[in-house]
Amino acid sequence: MRIYALGTGAPLAPERATLGLYVEAPGCDPLLLDACGGFEIIRQLTALGIDPMSVRNVVLTHGHGDHIGGIMALRIRQVPICLYGPRDALSAARELFRLTYPHLEGRANPKVTEQPVLPGRSYLIGGFRVEFFAVRHRVPTYAVRVEQGGRVLAYSADSLACEALIECARDADLFLCDALCAEADGSEVVDRAHLLMHPTAREAGALAQAASARSLALVHLARYASPATMLEEARGVFAGSVTVPDDLSLFKL
């Protein structure tokens, strides 16, 4: 598998796009996990030399705008697309398009299909085995486990630390985990992260350690986050490899 981090930041991070992962593997159709926050998804794909028209399968982990906004651009392309995710996320993406492009609703890209998914079940999507886990966030949210060719990618989506995240990341080759900030940023910042239902870098490291994941990448960084501090904190509790990737980073499994 090859995983490209299209975006690695929280909504107000000035130098990072919001969350989107492009996953490819031999013999599989490309898979998009979340869709960034808007039209930057086209720029990010193009910057990697990826044809935006090639994206046909999209998993939406939850209905927040920084994860579903790119659906507007993907629907306008006029190519078939299938959206997978919680019913709440699919409804939010549909409503976002209806509100922002009412003159196109019902006409633009009639080949959009939706497939609601359930936690605890796995689905074959474009050659990938994809399993979903209900996690703890402000809206219904599913973490995602992707398996192909004996390799495993785990993606937390947005969530407080919970047992479901450990199960999602169990023995994963790569665990891409939400981490808004470092605990060294101070109790006020940490309290804010927890209020928004995001973990810290230390908590992400502890999750990866409990799951026996092989490597950890911290994403969804806040505008005030220090990558160096987050890296140090996660390494303090996780024995495997830890990175804080920039946008457009590539992971090979």
Side-chain angles (χ1 to χ4, degrees), residues 159-201:
S159 173
L160 287 170
C162 60
E163 287 297 319
L165 283 181
I166 296 174
E167 288 307 307
C168 178
R170 183 77 64 193
D171 298 320
D173 295 285
L174 173 63
F175 181 29
L176 279 149
C177 189
D178 175 21
L180 202 65
C181 61
E183 292 182 8
D185 293 323
S187 60
E188 184 176 344
V189 169
V190 172
D191 289 346
R192 174 67 174 167
H194 288 163
L195 179 66
L196 295 172
M197 302 190 76
H198 296 279
T200 65

CSV table of all heavy atoms in Angstrom, one decimal, residues 159-201:
chain,number,residue,atom,x,y,z
A,159,SER,N,-11.2,11.4,17.4
A,159,SER,CA,-11.8,10.7,18.6
A,159,SER,C,-10.9,10.9,19.8
A,159,SER,O,-9.7,11.0,19.7
A,159,SER,CB,-11.8,9.2,18.3
A,159,SER,OG,-12.2,8.5,19.4
A,160,LEU,N,-11.6,10.9,21.0
A,160,LEU,CA,-10.9,10.8,22.2
A,160,LEU,C,-10.3,9.4,22.3
A,160,LEU,O,-10.7,8.4,21.6
A,160,LEU,CB,-11.8,11.0,23.4
A,160,LEU,CG,-12.3,12.4,23.7
A,160,LEU,CD1,-13.4,12.4,24.7
A,160,LEU,CD2,-11.1,13.3,24.2
A,161,ALA,N,-9.3,9.2,23.1
A,161,ALA,CA,-8.8,7.8,23.4
A,161,ALA,C,-9.9,6.9,23.9
A,161,ALA,O,-10.6,7.3,24.7
A,161,ALA,CB,-7.6,7.9,24.4
A,162,CYS,N,-9.9,5.7,23.3
A,162,CYS,CA,-11.0,4.7,23.6
A,162,CYS,C,-10.5,3.4,23.2
A,162,CYS,O,-9.6,3.2,22.4
A,162,CYS,CB,-12.3,5.1,23.0
A,162,CYS,SG,-12.4,5.1,21.2
A,163,GLU,N,-11.2,2.3,23.7
A,163,GLU,CA,-10.8,1.0,23.4
A,163,GLU,C,-11.0,0.7,21.9
A,163,GLU,O,-10.3,-0.1,21.3
A,163,GLU,CB,-11.7,0.0,24.3
A,163,GLU,CG,-11.3,-0.1,25.7
A,163,GLU,CD,-9.8,-0.6,25.9
A,163,GLU,OE1,-9.5,-1.5,25.2
A,163,GLU,OE2,-9.1,0.0,26.7
A,164,ALA,N,-12.0,1.3,21.3
A,164,ALA,CA,-12.3,1.0,19.9
A,164,ALA,C,-11.1,1.4,19.0
A,164,ALA,O,-10.8,0.8,18.0
A,164,ALA,CB,-13.5,1.7,19.4
A,165,LEU,N,-10.4,2.5,19.4
A,165,LEU,CA,-9.2,2.9,18.7
A,165,LEU,C,-8.1,1.9,18.8
A,165,LEU,O,-7.3,1.6,17.9
A,165,LEU,CB,-8.7,4.3,19.1
A,165,LEU,CG,-9.5,5.5,18.6
A,165,LEU,CD1,-8.8,6.8,19.1
A,165,LEU,CD2,-9.5,5.5,17.1
A,166,ILE,N,-8.0,1.3,20.0
A,166,ILE,CA,-6.9,0.3,20.2
A,166,ILE,C,-7.3,-0.9,19.3
A,166,ILE,O,-6.4,-1.5,18.6
A,166,ILE,CB,-6.9,-0.1,21.7
A,166,ILE,CG1,-6.4,1.1,22.5
A,166,ILE,CG2,-5.9,-1.3,21.9
A,166,ILE,CD1,-6.4,0.8,24.0
A,167,GLU,N,-8.5,-1.3,19.2
A,167,GLU,CA,-8.9,-2.5,18.4
A,167,GLU,C,-8.7,-2.2,16.9
A,167,GLU,O,-8.2,-3.0,16.2
A,167,GLU,CB,-10.4,-2.8,18.7
A,167,GLU,CG,-10.6,-3.5,20.0
A,167,GLU,CD,-9.7,-4.7,20.2
A,167,GLU,OE1,-9.6,-5.6,19.4
A,167,GLU,OE2,-9.0,-4.7,21.3
A,168,CYS,N,-9.0,-0.9,16.5
A,168,CYS,CA,-8.8,-0.5,15.1
A,168,CYS,C,-7.3,-0.6,14.8
A,168,CYS,O,-7.0,-1.1,13.7
A,168,CYS,CB,-9.3,0.9,14.9
A,168,CYS,SG,-9.0,1.5,13.3
A,169,ALA,N,-6.4,-0.2,15.7
A,169,ALA,CA,-5.0,-0.2,15.4
A,169,ALA,C,-4.2,-1.4,15.7
A,169,ALA,O,-3.0,-1.5,15.6
A,169,ALA,CB,-4.4,1.0,16.1
A,170,ARG,N,-4.9,-2.5,16.2
A,170,ARG,CA,-4.3,-3.7,16.7
A,170,ARG,C,-3.3,-4.2,15.6
A,170,ARG,O,-3.7,-4.6,14.5
A,170,ARG,CB,-5.3,-4.8,17.0
A,170,ARG,CG,-4.7,-6.0,17.6
A,170,ARG,CD,-4.3,-5.9,19.0
A,170,ARG,NE,-5.5,-5.6,19.9
A,170,ARG,CZ,-5.4,-5.1,21.1
A,170,ARG,NH1,-4.2,-4.9,21.7
A,170,ARG,NH2,-6.5,-4.8,21.9
A,171,ASP,N,-2.0,-4.3,15.9
A,171,ASP,CA,-0.9,-4.9,15.1
A,171,ASP,C,-0.9,-4.2,13.7
A,171,ASP,O,-0.4,-4.8,12.7
A,171,ASP,CB,-1.1,-6.4,14.9
A,171,ASP,CG,-1.0,-7.1,16.2
A,171,ASP,OD1,-0.2,-6.8,17.0
A,171,ASP,OD2,-1.9,-8.0,16.4
A,172,ALA,N,-1.3,-3.0,13.6
A,172,ALA,CA,-1.3,-2.2,12.3
A,172,ALA,C,0.1,-1.9,11.9
A,172,ALA,O,1.0,-1.6,12.8
A,172,ALA,CB,-2.2,-1.0,12.4
A,173,ASP,N,0.4,-1.9,10.6
A,173,ASP,CA,1.7,-1.5,10.1
A,173,ASP,C,1.8,0.0,10.3
A,173,ASP,O,2.9,0.5,10.6
A,173,ASP,CB,1.8,-1.9,8.7
A,173,ASP,CG,1.9,-3.4,8.5
A,173,ASP,OD1,2.9,-4.0,8.8
A,173,ASP,OD2,0.9,-3.9,8.1
A,174,LEU,N,0.7,0.8,10.2
A,174,LEU,CA,0.8,2.2,10.3
A,174,LEU,C,-0.5,2.6,11.0
A,174,LEU,O,-1.6,2.2,10.5
A,174,LEU,CB,0.9,2.9,9.0
A,174,LEU,CG,0.8,4.4,9.0
A,174,LEU,CD1,1.9,5.1,9.8
A,174,LEU,CD2,0.8,5.0,7.5
A,175,PHE,N,-0.4,3.4,12.0
A,175,PHE,CA,-1.6,4.0,12.7
A,175,PHE,C,-1.5,5.5,12.6
A,175,PHE,O,-0.6,6.2,13.1
A,175,PHE,CB,-1.5,3.6,14.2
A,175,PHE,CG,-2.7,4.1,15.0
A,175,PHE,CD1,-3.9,4.4,14.5
A,175,PHE,CD2,-2.5,4.4,16.4
A,175,PHE,CE1,-5.0,4.8,15.3
A,175,PHE,CE2,-3.6,4.8,17.2
A,175,PHE,CZ,-4.8,5.1,16.6
A,176,LEU,N,-2.4,6.1,11.7
A,176,LEU,CA,-2.5,7.5,11.6
A,176,LEU,C,-3.5,8.0,12.6
A,176,LEU,O,-4.7,7.7,12.5
A,176,LEU,CB,-3.0,7.8,10.1
A,176,LEU,CG,-1.9,7.8,9.1
A,176,LEU,CD1,-2.4,7.4,7.7
A,176,LEU,CD2,-1.2,9.2,9.0
A,177,CYS,N,-3.0,8.7,13.6
A,177,CYS,CA,-3.9,9.1,14.7
A,177,CYS,C,-4.0,10.6,14.9
A,177,CYS,O,-3.1,11.3,14.9
A,177,CYS,CB,-3.3,8.4,16.0
A,177,CYS,SG,-4.4,8.5,17.4
A,178,ASP,N,-5.3,10.9,15.2
A,178,ASP,CA,-5.6,12.3,15.6
A,178,ASP,C,-4.8,12.7,16.8
A,178,ASP,O,-4.8,11.9,17.8
A,178,ASP,CB,-7.1,12.3,15.9
A,178,ASP,CG,-7.7,13.5,16.5
A,178,ASP,OD1,-7.1,14.6,16.3
A,178,ASP,OD2,-8.8,13.5,17.1
A,179,ALA,N,-4.2,13.8,16.8
A,179,ALA,CA,-3.5,14.4,18.0
A,179,ALA,C,-3.5,15.9,17.8
A,179,ALA,O,-2.7,16.4,17.0
A,179,ALA,CB,-2.1,13.8,18.1
A,180,LEU,N,-4.2,16.6,18.6
A,180,LEU,CA,-4.4,18.0,18.4
A,180,LEU,C,-3.2,18.8,18.9
A,180,LEU,O,-2.9,19.9,18.3
A,180,LEU,CB,-5.7,18.5,19.1
A,180,LEU,CG,-6.3,19.8,18.6
A,180,LEU,CD1,-6.8,19.7,17.2
A,180,LEU,CD2,-7.5,20.2,19.5
A,181,CYS,N,-2.6,18.4,19.9
A,181,CYS,CA,-1.5,19.2,20.6
A,181,CYS,C,-0.7,18.2,21.5
A,181,CYS,O,-0.9,17.0,21.5
A,181,CYS,CB,-2.1,20.3,21.4
A,181,CYS,SG,-3.2,19.7,22.7
A,182,ALA,N,0.2,18.9,22.2
A,182,ALA,CA,1.0,18.1,23.2
A,182,ALA,C,0.6,18.5,24.6
A,182,ALA,O,0.1,19.6,24.8
A,182,ALA,CB,2.5,18.5,23.0
A,183,GLU,N,0.8,17.6,25.6
A,183,GLU,CA,0.4,18.0,26.9
A,183,GLU,C,1.4,19.0,27.5
A,183,GLU,O,1.0,19.8,28.4
A,183,GLU,CB,0.5,16.7,27.8
A,183,GLU,CG,-0.6,15.7,27.4
A,183,GLU,CD,-0.7,14.5,28.3
A,183,GLU,OE1,0.1,14.4,29.3
A,183,GLU,OE2,-1.4,13.5,27.9
A,184,ALA,N,2.6,19.2,26.9
A,184,ALA,CA,3.5,20.2,27.4
A,184,ALA,C,3.0,21.6,27.0
A,184,ALA,O,3.5,22.6,27.5
A,184,ALA,CB,4.9,20.0,26.7
A,185,ASP,N,2.0,21.7,26.1
A,185,ASP,CA,1.4,23.0,25.8
A,185,ASP,C,0.6,23.6,26.9
A,185,ASP,O,0.3,24.8,26.9
A,185,ASP,CB,0.5,22.9,24.6
A,185,ASP,CG,1.2,22.5,23.3
A,185,ASP,OD1,2.4,23.0,23.1
A,185,ASP,OD2,0.7,21.7,22.5
A,186,GLY,N,0.3,22.8,28.0
A,186,GLY,CA,-0.3,23.3,29.2
A,186,GLY,C,-1.7,22.8,29.3
A,186,GLY,O,-2.4,22.4,28.4
A,187,SER,N,-2.2,22.9,30.6
A,187,SER,CA,-3.5,22.3,30.9
A,187,SER,C,-4.6,22.9,30.2
A,187,SER,O,-5.6,22.3,29.9
A,187,SER,CB,-3.7,22.3,32.5
A,187,SER,OG,-3.7,23.7,32.9
A,188,GLU,N,-4.6,24.3,30.0
A,188,GLU,CA,-5.7,24.9,29.3
A,188,GLU,C,-5.8,24.4,27.9
A,188,GLU,O,-7.0,24.2,27.4
A,188,GLU,CB,-5.4,26.5,29.3
A,188,GLU,CG,-6.5,27.3,28.7
A,188,GLU,CD,-6.3,28.8,28.8
A,188,GLU,OE1,-5.4,29.2,29.6
A,188,GLU,OE2,-7.0,29.5,28.1
A,189,VAL,N,-4.7,24.2,27.2
A,189,VAL,CA,-4.7,23.7,25.8
A,189,VAL,C,-5.2,22.3,25.8
A,189,VAL,O,-6.1,21.9,25.0
A,189,VAL,CB,-3.3,23.8,25.2
A,189,VAL,CG1,-3.3,23.1,23.9
A,189,VAL,CG2,-3.0,25.3,25.0
A,190,VAL,N,-4.8,21.5,26.7
A,190,VAL,CA,-5.2,20.1,26.8
A,190,VAL,C,-6.7,20.0,27.1
A,190,VAL,O,-7.4,19.2,26.5
A,190,VAL,CB,-4.4,19.3,27.8
A,190,VAL,CG1,-4.9,17.9,28.0
A,190,VAL,CG2,-2.9,19.2,27.4
A,191,ASP,N,-7.2,20.8,28.1
A,191,ASP,CA,-8.6,20.8,28.4
A,191,ASP,C,-9.4,21.2,27.2
A,191,ASP,O,-10.5,20.6,26.9
A,191,ASP,CB,-8.9,21.8,29.5
A,191,ASP,CG,-8.3,21.3,30.9
A,191,ASP,OD1,-8.0,20.1,31.0
A,191,ASP,OD2,-8.3,22.2,31.8
A,192,ARG,N,-8.9,22.1,26.4
A,192,ARG,CA,-9.6,22.6,25.2
A,192,ARG,C,-9.7,21.4,24.2
A,192,ARG,O,-10.7,21.2,23.6
A,192,ARG,CB,-8.9,23.8,24.6
A,192,ARG,CG,-9.4,24.2,23.2
A,192,ARG,CD,-10.8,24.8,23.3
A,192,ARG,NE,-11.3,25.4,22.0
A,192,ARG,CZ,-12.5,25.7,21.8
A,192,ARG,NH1,-13.5,25.5,22.7
A,192,ARG,NH2,-12.8,26.2,20.6
A,193,ALA,N,-8.6,20.7,24.0
A,193,ALA,CA,-8.5,19.5,23.1
A,193,ALA,C,-9.5,18.5,23.5
A,193,ALA,O,-10.3,18.0,22.7
A,193,ALA,CB,-7.1,18.9,23.1
A,194,HIS,N,-9.6,18.2,24.8
A,194,HIS,CA,-10.5,17.2,25.3
A,194,HIS,C,-12.0,17.7,25.2
A,194,HIS,O,-12.9,16.9,24.9
A,194,HIS,CB,-10.2,16.8,26.8
A,194,HIS,CG,-8.9,16.0,26.9
A,194,HIS,ND1,-8.3,15.9,28.1
A,194,HIS,CD2,-8.2,15.3,26.0
A,194,HIS,CE1,-7.2,15.1,27.9
A,194,HIS,NE2,-7.1,14.8,26.6
A,195,LEU,N,-12.2,19.0,25.4
A,195,LEU,CA,-13.5,19.5,25.2
A,195,LEU,C,-14.0,19.3,23.8
A,195,LEU,O,-15.2,19.0,23.5
A,195,LEU,CB,-13.6,21.0,25.6
A,195,LEU,CG,-14.9,21.7,25.4
A,195,LEU,CD1,-15.9,21.1,26.4
A,195,LEU,CD2,-14.7,23.2,25.6
A,196,LEU,N,-13.1,19.5,22.8
A,196,LEU,CA,-13.4,19.3,21.4
A,196,LEU,C,-13.3,17.8,21.0
A,196,LEU,O,-13.6,17.4,19.9
A,196,LEU,CB,-12.4,20.0,20.6
A,196,LEU,CG,-12.5,21.6,20.7
A,196,LEU,CD1,-11.3,22.2,19.9
A,196,LEU,CD2,-13.8,22.1,20.2
A,197,MET,N,-13.0,16.9,22.0
A,197,MET,CA,-13.0,15.5,21.8
A,197,MET,C,-11.9,15.0,20.9
A,197,MET,O,-12.1,14.3,19.9
A,197,MET,CB,-14.3,14.9,21.5
A,197,MET,CG,-15.4,15.3,22.5
A,197,MET,SD,-17.0,14.4,22.3
A,197,MET,CE,-16.6,12.8,22.9
A,198,HIS,N,-10.6,15.5,21.2
A,198,HIS,CA,-9.4,15.1,20.5
A,198,HIS,C,-8.4,14.7,21.5
A,198,HIS,O,-8.4,15.2,22.6
A,198,HIS,CB,-8.8,16.2,19.6
A,198,HIS,CG,-9.7,16.7,18.5
A,198,HIS,ND1,-9.8,16.0,17.3
A,198,HIS,CD2,-10.5,17.7,18.4
A,198,HIS,CE1,-10.6,16.6,16.5
A,198,HIS,NE2,-11.1,17.7,17.1
A,199,PRO,N,-7.5,13.7,21.2
A,199,PRO,CA,-6.5,13.3,22.1
A,199,PRO,C,-5.2,14.2,22.0
A,199,PRO,O,-5.1,15.0,21.0
A,199,PRO,CB,-6.2,11.9,21.7
A,199,PRO,CG,-6.4,11.9,20.2
A,199,PRO,CD,-7.5,12.9,20.0
A,200,THR,N,-4.3,14.0,22.9
A,200,THR,CA,-3.0,14.7,22.8
A,200,THR,C,-2.0,13.7,22.2
A,200,THR,O,-2.3,12.5,21.9
A,200,THR,CB,-2.5,15.0,24.2
A,200,THR,OG1,-2.3,13.8,24.9
A,200,THR,CG2,-3.5,15.9,24.9
A,201,ALA,N,-0.8,14.2,21.9
A,201,ALA,CA,0.2,13.3,21.3
A,201,ALA,C,0.6,12.2,22.2
A,201,ALA,O,0.8,11.1,21.8
A,201,ALA,CB,1.5,14.2,21.0
